[in-house]
């Protein structure tokens, strides 16, 4: 019931994306409301990354609209979307390996030229509070961090843009189970600081267990949607995505 009253922050409406002859997304509709964690699960090639790229203005849309906080952003370029408060943390933790943790975070804030020096300072404090590990290692080269720490840095860099919506592409990829748990706990913490999260994951059980709602994507089509709990206990989801 509570969900009904929440404001819509992102609305993907009947979106289609093609790569040449490949129909990557077909008539996809997804809604994300304020302060929610929404997860998009699906196998390899289902269209998860393409969805985030479409929201970030990185791929051409064949049909459909994307509305962010009542504004039509369907054809907006990426730099404008950052200024509106949308951060995208891509798959594979693309941090700058030669730069220090501190410099990587500063680089994140440069994505949003609307930020004042004071804003940058505040965001840095916020990120260090969420990830004390990064504060301890602020002078260390990004490339010398552990896999989990690099993921924290990639997320921290996204948060430096002071986003309202943060989109995370497979944050658990390639990490040991114990580290993955820590990352998912952090995602909950980020939401609790007033951010809205759109999370893409192959680790469906972890993602659904922290998500308010989820969507199941299959070869570019939304097949199912429900609360995280509903999907976790759904027989088809269990069989196909949870290996149960
Ligand atoms: P994964 O979990 O493997 O990253 P995904 O769900 O994120 O998969 P996408 O990367 O969005 O899937 O890909 C959706 C479909 O579009 C796939 O069939 C993929 O092969 C195709 N595709 C993605 N990028 C391109 C591209 N640049 N050119 C052609 N086809 C592409």
């Amino acid at each position: 019931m509570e969900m009904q009253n929440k404001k819509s922050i992102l609305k993907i409406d009947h979106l289609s994306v093609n790569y040449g002859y490949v129909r990557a997304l077909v008539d996809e509709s997804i809604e994300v409301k304020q302060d929610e964690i929404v997860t998009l699960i699906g196998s390899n090639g289902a269209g998860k990354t393409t969805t985030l790229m479409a929201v970030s203005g990185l791929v051409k849309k064949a049909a459909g609209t994307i509305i962010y906080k009542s504004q039509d952003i369907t054809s907006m370029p990426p730099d404008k979307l950052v200024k509106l408060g949308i951060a995208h943390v891509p798959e594979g933790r693309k941090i700058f390996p030669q730069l220090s943790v501190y410099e990587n975070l500063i680089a994140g804030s440069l994505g949003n030229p609307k930020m004042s020096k004071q804003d940058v300072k505040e965001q840095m404090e916020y990120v260090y509070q969420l990830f004390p590990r990064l504060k301890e290692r602020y002078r260390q080269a990004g490339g010398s961090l552990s896999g989990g720490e690099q993921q924290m840095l990639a997320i921290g860099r996204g948060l430096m843009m002071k986003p309202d919506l943060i989109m995370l592409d497979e944050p658990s990829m390639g990490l040991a189970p114990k580290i993955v748990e820590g990352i998912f706990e952090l995602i909950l913490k980020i939401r609790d600081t007033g951010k809205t999260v759109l999370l893409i994951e192959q680790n469906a059980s972890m993602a659904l267990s922290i998500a308010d709602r989820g969507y199941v994507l299959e070869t570019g089509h939304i097949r199912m949607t429900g609360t995280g709990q509903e999907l976790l206990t759904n027989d088809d989801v269990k069989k196909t995505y949870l290996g149960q």
Side-chain angles (χ1 to χ4, degrees):
M1 282 315 278
E2 198 191 315
M3 198 193 86
Q4 309 292 337
N5 305 324
K6 283 187 180 167
K7 265 205 306 209
S8 176
I9 188 160
L10 181 74
K11 197 159 196 275
I12 301 176
D13 209 16
H14 299 290
L15 177 70
S16 296
V17 172
N18 305 323
Y19 298 109
Y21 293 112
V22 178
R23 302 185 76 197
L25 294 177
V26 185
D27 204 26
E28 180 191 56
S29 295
I30 290 178
E31 188 169 22
V32 182
K33 297 188 182 193
Q34 188 102 44
D35 301 330
E36 275 189 319
I37 298 176
V38 171
T39 189
L40 194 52
I41 61 168
S43 323
N44 278 313
K48 303 184 298 296
T49 297
T50 301
T51 303
L52 294 198
M53 285 172 57
V55 176
S56 294
L58 299 170
V59 290
K60 224 178 110 209
K61 290 96 188 167
T65 53
I66 305 179
I67 308 289
Y68 173 73
K69 292 185 178 175
S70 330
Q71 196 170 352
D72 189 335
I73 60 162
T74 315
S75 308
M76 256 185 213
D79 57 322
K80 228 172 151 190
L81 295 166
V82 169
K83 285 184 223 162
L84 287 180
I86 301 178
H88 181 173
V89 180
E91 196 174 339
R93 318 190 265 273
K94 297 195 176 62
I95 56 155
F96 300 113
Q98 322 283 3
L99 298 188
S100 69
V101 166
Y102 173 79
E103 289 163 337
N104 265 283
L105 292 175
I106 290 290
S109 68
L110 299 177
N112 186 356
K114 263 187 19 191
M115 288 175 69
S116 66
K117 267 202 170 133
Q118 184 58 27
D119 284 336
V120 174
K121 221 175 128 196
E122 279 172 22
Q123 284 308 108
M124 187 76 79
E125 267 317 302
Y126 163 66
V127 170
Y128 281 159
Q129 222 163 44
L130 275 171
F131 309 105
R133 203 70 92 78
L134 295 182
K135 187 172 186 180
E136 285 162 24
R137 291 164 168 69
Y138 78 103
R139 295 211 296 193
Q140 202 171 315
S144 69
L145 298 174
S146 73
E149 290 163 354
Q150 287 190 27
Q151 186 55 263
M152 289 177 201
L153 182 54
I155 297 172
R157 202 175 53 177
L159 290 170
M160 284 301 292
M161 296 170 199
K162 215 177 169 183
D164 294 321
L165 172 68
I166 184 158
M167 305 191 294
L168 305 174
D169 195 339
E170 304 238 13
S172 78
M173 197 171 63
L175 300 176
K178 232 153 167 87
I179 313 285
V180 171
E181 262 174 51
I183 295 286
F184 279 95
E185 273 165 29
L186 279 163
I187 296 171
L188 280 169
K189 238 169 137 182
I190 290 168
R191 191 270 306 275
D192 291 344
T193 65
K195 310 277 179 201
T196 303
V197 181
L198 177 55
L199 168 69
I200 282 191
E201 265 298 335
Q202 289 222 31
N203 190 334
S205 61
M206 286 295 274
L208 291 173
S209 70
I210 66 158
D212 296 287
R213 292 183 307 110
Y215 291 84
V216 178
L217 196 57
E218 267 173 33
T219 54
H221 297 80
I222 298 290
R223 289 293 183 215
M224 229 183 293
T225 181
T227 65
Q229 278 309 311
E230 281 164 359
L231 293 175
L232 263 181
T233 51
N234 177 282
D235 284 340
D236 289 336
V237 174
K238 274 191 190 166
K239 225 185 296 159
T240 315
Y241 300 101
L242 307 177
Q244 292 174 6

